[in-house]
Amino acid sequence: MDIRTASALHRLRLVSAPEAVSFLLLLVCSVLKRTTDFNAVPAMGMIHGVLFILYVVFWALAWQRTRWSFGTAALYFVLSVLPTGGFFAERKLKRAADEEVASRVLGGAGGAGEAKVGA
């Protein structure tokens, strides 16, 4: 994996959890707006909107760089519109990054990688 691809995936991973948190907070603010005099929906809506747009932009860049299948790309997009989906996307992206690092250390780096693991 080249540095641009890794960077695209890292950006998507970094924005996925905050986007999920903002979505949940927006849902809470919506309930509070209906049940109390507290109205934080405009502010929380703007924060969530910015994070969602960032997620979609980073998702599109990651799809372009990684050349995911349509199904994989659709899964990450669907996770962005589910209230807790961003947490699952972040976990899945972290697991993929960890597997990439492990494959490079164990197989792709040759003798130098094996020397570092044993040291």
Side-chain angles (χ1 to χ4, degrees):
M1 178 183 313
D2 67 343
I3 191 72
R4 287 185 173 178
T5 304
S7 179
L9 290 172
H10 184 70
R11 284 190 304 260
L12 180 60
R13 196 176 137 222
L14 283 178
V15 78
S16 62
E19 190 273 336
V21 169
S22 72
F23 194 177
L24 292 173
L25 288 174
L26 181 60
L27 292 175
V28 169
C29 289
S30 295
V31 170
L32 290 175
K33 178 183 176 183
R34 305 282 187 243
T35 59
T36 67
D37 291 333
F38 182 74
N39 184 10
V41 171
M44 199 62 234
M46 183 181 295
I47 292 168
H48 173 67
V50 168
L51 288 170
F52 179 75
I53 289 169
L54 283 174
Y55 183 96
V56 171
V57 168
F58 293 155
W59 165 80
L61 291 172
W63 186 8
Q64 178 187 14
R65 293 295 308 165
T66 60
R67 299 189 193 319
W68 285 326
S69 67
F70 180 78
T72 301
L75 171 68
Y76 282 116
F77 185 79
V78 168
L79 287 174
S80 75
V81 297
L82 297 175
T84 58
F87 298 122
F88 295 107
E90 194 276 334
R91 185 182 309 154
K92 191 169 176 58
L93 289 166
K94 182 176 182 342
R95 191 175 308 130
D98 290 346
E99 289 171 1
E100 175 71 22
V101 168
S103 71
R104 284 183 176 260
V105 169
L106 296 177
E114 293 171 2
K116 289 181 182 178
V117 171

